[in-house]
Amino acid sequence: MAPRKGNKQKKVILKYTIDCSIPVSDQVLDPASFEKFLHDRIKVDGKVGVLGDKVKIKREDKNIVVHAEAPFSKRYLKYLTKKYLKKQLLRDYLHVIAPTKDSYQLRYFNIQGDEEDEE
């Protein structure tokens, strides 16, 4: 058997979006600080803050878009998002939901009023 030449694998680029439109419209969350937090905290090859060409983070209006090469977990983005919410003391009011396969959305908790119990 001869060794294979030109066995290059195509890089798979994953695109994840985090929709922050609800808390941003209420001026509860700052998308610029969230983008900086992700840029500073995402690990690539075991190193924090050194994204290189493997991960790109962009802010599009009220959304954060992350483009990453294949070994990158969507769950890791959820973990970092929850960590950011905890740091900003917003974890009691907002939670992270996955409406589609490649996106997350920040929403408020649904709190039902106990108005009928007062009678």
Side-chain angles (χ1 to χ4, degrees), residues 27-99:
Q27 296 178 351
V28 174
L29 185 94
D30 181 26
S33 68
F34 183 41
E35 179 187 18
K36 183 175 179 348
F37 178 84
L38 288 177
H39 190 277
D40 293 342
R41 297 292 175 104
I42 289 180
K43 282 187 179 182
V44 177
D45 297 329
K47 297 179 183 177
V48 178
V50 184
L51 301 181
D53 294 334
K54 293 190 177 188
V55 178
K56 293 185 172 95
I57 303 170
K58 289 193 300 185
R59 186 176 71 236
E60 296 177 356
D61 195 28
K62 297 177 181 178
N63 295 334
I64 306 290
V65 180
V66 178
H67 295 278
E69 286 186 16
F72 191 82
S73 174
K74 179 183 169 191
R75 185 78 177 91
Y76 184 54
L77 278 181
K78 184 174 184 177
Y79 164 75
L80 288 174
T81 303
K82 289 167 76 173
K83 194 170 186 173
Y84 175 77
L85 292 175
K86 182 74 172 177
K87 182 180 174 187
Q88 299 295 320
L89 304 175
L90 296 172
R91 188 77 180 97
D92 295 335
Y93 310 108
L94 295 170
H95 61 151
V96 185
I97 297 177

Side-chain angles (χ1 to χ4, degrees), residues 2-49:
R4 293 182 182 178
K5 294 183 181 178
N7 190 12
K8 294 183 181 179
Q9 293 182 351
K10 186 177 180 182
K11 293 182 183 178
V12 178
I13 302 294
L14 304 170
K15 178 183 175 185
Y16 299 117
T17 58
I18 302 172
D19 182 13
C20 309
S21 59
I22 297 171
V24 169
S25 64
D26 293 339
Q27 296 178 351
V28 174
L29 185 94
D30 181 26
S33 68
F34 183 41
E35 179 187 18
K36 183 175 179 348
F37 178 84
L38 288 177
H39 190 277
D40 293 342
R41 297 292 175 104
I42 289 180
K43 282 187 179 182
V44 177
D45 297 329
K47 297 179 183 177
V48 178

